[in-house]
Amino acid sequence: MKIGPSGNSTYLDDHGPPPSKVLPFPSQVVYNRVGKCGSRTVVLLLRILSEKHGFNLVTSDIHNKTRLTKNEQMELIKNISTAEQPYLFTRHVHFLNFSRFGGDQPVYINIIRDPVNRFLSNYFFRRFGDWRGEQNHMIRTPSMRQEERYLDINECILENYPECSNPRLFYIIPYFCGQHPRCREPGEWALERAKLNVNENFLLVGILEELEDVLLLLERFLPHYFKGVLSIYKDPEHRKLGNMTVTVKKTVPSPEAVQILYQRMRYEYEFYHYVKEQFHLLKRKFGLKSRVSRPALRPQFFIPTPLETEEPMDDEEQDDEKWLEDIYKR
């Protein structure tokens, strides 16, 4: 036994340094949540899960700054990277390339939804808020003029108001394309770059219309963060809280207006269906059945709805655990 300066033995002398904390893998997760795609519901779940499982939930008070300068990117990446691990960072922000600035690239997750439905939810949320408070919209958009607040959705679309036309309708793709200026320009370049990032940097991009299956896969892929999430989500008390985030006073545009939106959002829809196809591949890989869901109105130029079959996939002679390891190594 070694004696310390005070004449007493010390823990370090007797036992050596305490064992280092064993981190789960992955221990760095980023949820760069897309607006009006169920993110407030998921954040409610994450708050419960972080207390239950002991991971570090890192949130941000900045909600309306998704595009960053180079210096802002460096600063945010530094702040995220130095957070205590295991962490899950969440914020409305376009994809950040950590490796570009010398950082370790985290695992990304996200959720998207039908682009027209997302747009409509946001349109009315900005004006009228949700069930959490009748004056919620006044807090979020206090400077909005009354004529703008009560602008008819059909007039906004048919008269080509800025809020209902490009580039503002080009909303989902930049969250996956990244911070390059061209990521905000509707076109093939941003679309293809977004697809590439989904394949190389995102562990899972789910579909809000199939949220329960998204939660099941998150629990399977990231158990240290999401174990038990579905039972929490289905709990009546949580459902009560979740219902408070439903946007109020939503109305449906005319068929003519919806068709115009489809045309203006063709790249958003191509990306949405690509993600949906990848998501259904994952579901089938793990034995989850894809529900058949077809929008009432569909753009004529679009690809057929992919992979909405309940037939099992052929065995690829690759077990689930090996396949998950390959995903984490992307």
Side-chain angles (χ1 to χ4, degrees), residues 98-112:
F98 282 58
S99 58
R100 179 189 173 200
F101 298 99
D104 294 331
Q105 191 72 2
V107 164
Y108 272 84
I109 58 173
N110 217 322
I111 300 171
I112 65 173

Side-chain angles (χ1 to χ4, degrees), residues 216-267:
L216 277 171
L217 288 177
L218 284 171
E219 184 169 358
R220 182 65 182 268
F221 295 168
L222 299 169
H224 295 286
Y225 298 88
F226 288 96
K227 185 177 181 181
V229 64
L230 195 57
S231 61
I232 297 171
Y233 174 70
K234 290 183 173 182
D235 184 272
E237 286 302 312
H238 177 267
R239 288 283 186 161
K240 194 183 300 181
L241 288 173
N243 289 337
M244 299 293 287
T245 67
V246 175
T247 302
V248 300
K249 297 190 178 183
K250 280 193 285 190
T251 59
V252 179
S254 68
E256 179 188 3
V258 171
Q259 286 295 337
I260 289 173
L261 283 179
Y262 275 135
Q263 293 289 338
R264 292 175 185 168
M265 304 173 84
R266 64 174 300 163
Y267 294 111

Side-chain angles (χ1 to χ4, degrees), residues 29-164:
V29 179
V30 171
Y31 171 32
N32 63 320
R33 59 189 194 269
V34 180
K36 302 311 296 175
C37 289
S39 61
R40 286 182 296 152
T41 296
V42 176
V43 169
L44 282 173
L45 291 168
L46 285 170
R47 287 174 181 159
I48 298 170
L49 290 166
S50 65
E51 293 185 8
K52 184 177 180 180
H53 300 314
F55 64 85
N56 183 19
L57 178 62
V58 184
T59 60
S60 173
D61 294 329
I62 301 172
H63 302 290
N64 297 315
K65 190 172 180 59
T66 57
R67 301 175 304 213
L68 309 178
T69 66
K70 182 177 179 181
N71 286 338
E72 287 171 337
Q73 291 177 59
M74 292 173 63
E75 185 66 21
L76 180 56
I77 287 172
K78 178 183 176 182
N79 290 340
I80 297 172
S81 299
T82 54
E84 182 183 356
Q85 298 182 32
Y87 69 73
L88 190 152
F89 173 79
T90 179
R91 172 180 160 177
H92 295 301
V93 65
H94 295 167
F95 174 79
L96 294 163
N97 189 339
F98 282 58
S99 58
R100 179 189 173 200
F101 298 99
D104 294 331
Q105 191 72 2
V107 164
Y108 272 84
I109 58 173
N110 217 322
I111 300 171
I112 65 173
R113 72 191 289 189
D114 178 274
V116 165
N117 287 338
R118 194 219 69 83
F119 162 74
L120 294 176
S121 181
N122 186 64
Y123 183 89
F124 292 105
F125 177 71
R126 288 186 65 245
R127 288 162 169 77
F128 306 112
D130 54 28
W131 290 110
R132 289 179 297 174
E134 293 181 2
Q135 299 302 314
N136 197 38
H137 63 282
M138 299 302 294
I139 297 171
R140 292 181 175 276
T141 53
S143 61
M144 184 179 283
R145 303 189 310 274
Q146 287 297 95
E147 56 267 30
E148 181 182 358
R149 192 178 304 283
Y150 293 97
L151 175 65
D152 181 75
I153 183 68
N154 291 298
E155 180 182 348
C156 183
I157 296 167
L158 298 176
E159 298 297 325
N160 205 24
Y161 281 68
E163 185 176 359
C164 298

Side-chain angles (χ1 to χ4, degrees), residues 165-300:
S165 58
N166 284 312
R168 288 177 67 174
L169 290 178
F170 193 69
Y171 182 87
I172 297 174
I173 287 175
Y175 275 87
F176 300 87
C177 179
Q179 298 290 335
H180 193 287
R182 290 185 69 183
C183 287
R184 302 189 290 276
E185 300 172 5
E188 292 288 338
W189 188 92
L191 170 64
E192 294 305 317
R193 182 158 173 161
K195 289 180 180 178
L196 181 66
N197 277 333
V198 166
N199 293 335
E200 294 186 349
N201 294 292
F202 283 80
L203 175 63
L204 178 68
V205 182
I207 301 297
L208 181 62
E209 293 85 351
E210 301 170 37
L211 181 58
E212 288 193 11
D213 289 340
V214 176
L215 298 178
L216 277 171
L217 288 177
L218 284 171
E219 184 169 358
R220 182 65 182 268
F221 295 168
L222 299 169
H224 295 286
Y225 298 88
F226 288 96
K227 185 177 181 181
V229 64
L230 195 57
S231 61
I232 297 171
Y233 174 70
K234 290 183 173 182
D235 184 272
E237 286 302 312
H238 177 267
R239 288 283 186 161
K240 194 183 300 181
L241 288 173
N243 289 337
M244 299 293 287
T245 67
V246 175
T247 302
V248 300
K249 297 190 178 183
K250 280 193 285 190
T251 59
V252 179
S254 68
E256 179 188 3
V258 171
Q259 286 295 337
I260 289 173
L261 283 179
Y262 275 135
Q263 293 289 338
R264 292 175 185 168
M265 304 173 84
R266 64 174 300 163
Y267 294 111
E268 294 274 279
Y269 268 98
E270 187 170 341
F271 181 73
Y272 171 73
H273 281 286
Y274 176 80
V275 167
K276 190 174 183 179
E277 177 181 357
Q278 301 304 309
F279 181 63
H280 284 177
L281 279 171
L282 284 177
K283 285 175 60 173
R284 294 169 67 196
K285 183 78 179 180
F286 287 91
L288 300 177
K289 294 182 178 181
S290 295
R291 302 177 183 87
V292 176
S293 57
R294 299 177 186 277
L297 296 169
R298 290 182 59 79
Q300 298 301 311

